[in-house]
Amino acid sequence: MSNSPPYTWYEKRTEVGIKVFVPDLDPSSCDIVLKNKNFTFSAQKQDGYNYDLNLVLFDLVDTESLSHRCIANTVDIRFKKIVPKPWRTLRAKSCPKPANEKIDSDRMEWFGSDDEELSFDETETIKLPKPKENRLNDEAERELKRFENEEKSIKKENNHIWDLAVWSVALLYCLFCPFTKVEESFNVQATHDLLHHRTDLVHYDHHEFPGVVPRTFIGPIILSCLSFPLCALRNFLSDNKVYDLLIIRCCLATIVCICLSVLRRKIRLVFGREVAISFAVLTLCQFHVLFYASRPLANTFAFAIVMLSFAYWIQVYEKNTAEEKLESYKLSASFLAFAAVVFRGELCLLAFPMLICELFITKSMKWNFLPSVLFSSLSTALAGIMLSISIDSVLWGRLVWPEGDVLWYNIYQNKSHNWGVMPWHWYFTSALPKALLGSLVLLIGGVVVEKRVIPFVGVAIFFVSLYSFLPHKELRFVIYSLPLFNLAAASCFAYFLKRYHKLKFPIFLCALLILTSGIGSIVSFGASILNYPGGLALTRLHSQELNLQLEASRNGASCPKYVHIGNLAAITGVSRFVERQDLRWRYSKKENLTDDKLEGFSYLLSEKKEIPEFDLLFAVKAFDRFSLQSPYLILSDKIFVHQNKKCKKPKPAPSNK
């Protein structure tokens, strides 16, 4: 069964264009034949329904100039005129105008009417009576109206609304969880030192706490440059450096959200408006992507660049000429190569399945593309390595390529198991289900209803499978796969949205799954707020400074404010940004100190509730576990703040009575 699709057309001096509308278009089914004056178009919907369009054109055209591209549910076709003169209609004079033809007035070049021979008779094409025998059936007319309304809504739609919503949620997570953990310590401390110590390299934190392997300074340099103006303004207004930490994290979240916005726009070009909106909704309802967006991790810097790589990879399916496709492949490979050599070397595990997929499965990449793509990626990788070596060798004080050392440590020496071992299936049975939540069901449906997402889902699964062979596992290592999974889930949701008048129950189920994801994100957000006891303990100690004056200070004596930060406090929120700029405050993170050595400190942030020669000031509660009964978030005392007995609390002021 077939039908004639609705279409619009326009002409310019030397060019003619036709835009054919096919709902749920299968791009691989498009077949366009142009011979002399005969134009033939055929395509299929996803469900196999056929559309055919046969026209006898007004004049001869250059068949070699034929080009087309598929964008969402439309096919944009262009070809050149042999004689550059105005056409009176798209069809030959002997052919009546069908009801499914409209003029694309936005792109039509209207010729001047002062020259009778070159005048364009608009009435012939617009006001021609519609022959009854050529009228479309009611369904085709409804489709034409729907596409016209969709075109108008796309023009009126503010694309920035969804991007602003994604950015706002990322900033919300940052503002309510301003502290950082041990995984972010290097980038946080390095950004602090670049902002506050600048060229005084001796006082940089990495000299005292170098970590197991060196890390690159390129990410912290970018953050410090972007945040410097606001941090300088903060320095005039307040001495609280926690605001600097908020500023740099908001800058990082902005970078990531911009890259997600680029990806979403490419998704809209290829998969359509509904899929792009659904992708944004799923991103908003999932916790981990936007929570990690502001965390200063090497994975987060890499994530932003990988999103650009994915964007240009998806763009390949929107391009039609070989030159455009090759350029998109080169950009995608270059971004991925730079992220791999500078931030996360294991992204090579992502590049490999992408290449195999494009060469052997989708066969979108021609073999003659391969040398150019490899040359672009290797050139970018070499430039990234040289940039990293030149910058990091100066700041580390020795010749070093940080990501090379990381690969040597994790792969060749296989020491990642020192940080914990998870079973091979952990990503598939624990990490990804918790991250995707309700989208996991939509993901399966997306693979069924939208065949074009299968390569992207396959690459993501292959990447996670390869990464599963490393013994130490964390969600941040495979977080790059989540947007690809969300693309498939969004395709399923959009598929039902476009059929809401027929499939109301599936729409209800999809909405229920997304609502479940949103509730799960809110619960995770609540637990995360209460998961930084170290940062909360130190800021509370600073805020109670006036109430913790030493009794000896009343007699003119002074006691130094010397704070020892225990191991748990150090890894759950304490960083140099949380420390006071006041020189009277000093901090130490020395480990394995005996009780007699601790007596030299004024205050202790410890996991112990009782310590000899110290009084307990207060305890900080933190998230402990979930419960199925109220209260659902179980808290327990994690950090105990002690004061040296030599530094007694001040006596209350005498009453006036």
Side-chain angles (χ1 to χ4, degrees), residues 550 558-563 584-586 600-603 644 647:
L550 310 178
S558 63
C559 182
K561 301 170 184 178
Y562 197 12
V563 183
R584 293 173 297 175
W585 287 85
R586 293 185 298 159
F601 292 94
S602 308
Y603 308 107
N644 198 313
C647 305

Side-chain angles (χ1 to χ4, degrees), residues 2 30 60 114 211 255 280 303 315 422 451 476 491 545 561 595 647 654:
S2 64
C30 287
L60 295 174
D114 54 337
I255 293 172
F303 179 85
Q315 180 179 269
M422 295 290 184
K451 304 300 182 184
R476 62 189 174 100
S491 299
E545 175 186 355
K561 301 170 184 178
D595 291 345
C647 305

Side-chain angles (χ1 to χ4, degrees), residues 35-216:
K35 187 176 182 180
N36 296 328
K37 289 186 178 182
N38 297 314
F39 172 85
T40 304
F41 169 86
S42 62
Q44 283 186 345
K45 296 171 63 174
Q46 299 286 349
D47 58 7
Y49 189 87
N50 295 321
Y51 281 88
D52 295 307
L53 178 64
N54 297 292
L55 299 172
V56 179
L57 301 177
F58 178 80
D59 203 353
L60 295 174
V61 296
D62 180 7
T63 57
E64 298 295 330
S65 65
L66 176 66
S67 66
H68 78 281
R69 62 175 181 172
C70 300
I71 305 176
N73 295 324
T74 64
V75 183
D76 196 350
I77 306 165
R78 300 180 186 182
F79 44 84
K80 299 287 186 181
K81 302 174 182 177
I82 290 182
V83 180
K85 67 177 183 180
W87 290 11
R88 297 177 67 83
T89 65
L90 175 63
R91 295 147 285 99
K93 293 182 179 180
S94 59
C95 300
K97 177 178 178 288
N100 57 329
E101 178 185 304
K102 297 289 184 180
I103 286 181
D104 188 346
S105 57
D106 292 335
R107 301 165 75 180
M108 176 68 78
E109 183 176 311
W110 304 97
F111 300 98
S113 59
D114 54 337
D115 188 340
E116 184 67 26
E117 187 177 46
L118 296 179
S119 66
F120 187 92
D121 189 354
E122 180 183 349
T123 59
E124 283 196 29
T125 57
I126 296 179
K127 297 183 179 180
L128 245 168
K130 302 176 182 179
K132 294 182 179 180
E133 63 271 17
N134 290 331
R135 289 183 182 275
L136 290 176
N137 56 32
D138 293 340
E139 181 181 356
E141 289 181 354
R142 285 197 301 269
E143 287 181 359
L144 179 59
K145 291 181 181 179
R146 183 171 70 85
F147 282 119
E148 288 176 347
N149 294 333
E150 182 177 337
E151 288 288 303
K152 292 178 182 178
S153 66
I154 288 175
K155 292 177 182 178
K156 294 180 181 179
E157 178 191 353
N158 189 349
N159 285 324
H160 301 294
I161 292 177
W162 292 105
D163 299 329
L164 183 62
V166 170
W167 182 60
S168 300
V169 173
L171 294 188
L172 180 71
Y173 290 158
C174 176
L175 294 175
F176 279 87
C177 304
F179 305 111
T180 56
K181 286 197 171 184
V182 63
E183 298 91 347
E184 304 141 270
S185 61
F186 172 79
N187 287 313
V188 170
Q189 312 290 30
T191 307
H192 172 276
D193 295 338
L194 288 165
L195 285 170
H196 294 276
H197 296 307
R198 300 177 188 175
T199 58
D200 187 9
L201 303 183
V202 177
H203 291 91
Y204 275 38
D205 183 82
H206 69 281
H207 294 306
E208 184 179 359
F209 302 100
V212 178
V213 289
R215 287 293 183 184
T216 182

Side-chain angles (χ1 to χ4, degrees), residues 244-259:
D244 289 354
L245 181 59
L246 282 172
I247 291 170
I248 67 166
R249 290 192 60 187
C250 288
C251 288
L252 180 57
T254 303
I255 293 172
V256 173
C257 290
I258 289 173
C259 295

Side-chain angles (χ1 to χ4, degrees), residues 209-366:
F209 302 100
V212 178
V213 289
R215 287 293 183 184
T216 182
F217 276 84
I218 293 178
I221 288 173
I222 294 172
L223 284 184
S224 60
C225 290
L226 292 175
S227 59
F228 176 76
L230 289 176
C231 291
L233 178 63
R234 189 280 313 162
N235 196 37
F236 284 105
L237 301 177
S238 172
D239 63 348
N240 191 347
K241 292 190 294 184
V242 174
Y243 294 120
D244 289 354
L245 181 59
L246 282 172
I247 291 170
I248 67 166
R249 290 192 60 187
C250 288
C251 288
L252 180 57
T254 303
I255 293 172
V256 173
C257 290
I258 289 173
C259 295
L260 282 171
S261 174
V262 174
L263 175 62
R264 197 179 73 84
R265 277 162 169 71
K266 301 301 182 183
I267 290 174
R268 174 173 176 166
L269 282 176
V270 176
F271 294 93
R273 173 171 167 263
E274 291 87 355
V275 177
I277 292 176
S278 301
F279 180 83
V281 171
L282 291 176
T283 304
L284 288 169
C285 293
Q286 292 173 357
F287 174 70
H288 293 86
V289 170
L290 296 184
F291 182 73
Y292 275 87
S294 66
R295 294 185 63 183
L297 293 159
N299 307 86
T300 305
F301 292 109
F303 179 85
I305 302 174
V306 171
M307 292 307 100
L308 297 179
S309 176
F310 286 165
Y312 287 103
W313 179 27
I314 291 173
Q315 180 179 269
V316 169
Y317 296 89
E318 183 260 338
K319 301 298 182 182
N320 293 296
T321 65
E323 293 78 7
E324 291 176 331
K325 288 189 176 184
L326 177 59
E327 191 63 27
S328 297
Y329 277 127
K330 289 164 65 175
L331 286 170
S332 178
S334 297
F335 279 119
L336 195 59
F338 184 83
V341 300
V342 174
F343 294 110
R344 296 299 302 188
E346 66 272 10
L347 287 174
C348 296
L349 300 177
L350 180 59
F352 175 70
M354 287 173 64
L355 181 62
I356 296 300
C357 174
E358 294 301 293
L359 282 175
F360 298 104
I361 300 177
T362 65
K363 297 183 180 179
S364 297
M365 181 185 287
K366 308 299 182 183

Side-chain angles (χ1 to χ4, degrees), residues 354-388:
M354 287 173 64
L355 181 62
I356 296 300
C357 174
E358 294 301 293
L359 282 175
F360 298 104
I361 300 177
T362 65
K363 297 183 180 179
S364 297
M365 181 185 287
K366 308 299 182 183
W367 281 96
N368 59 343
F369 289 2
L370 192 57
S372 297
V373 174
L374 290 178
F375 178 78
S376 296
S377 58
L378 292 176
S379 300
T380 306
L382 182 61
I385 292 172
M386 297 304 296
L387 177 67
S388 179

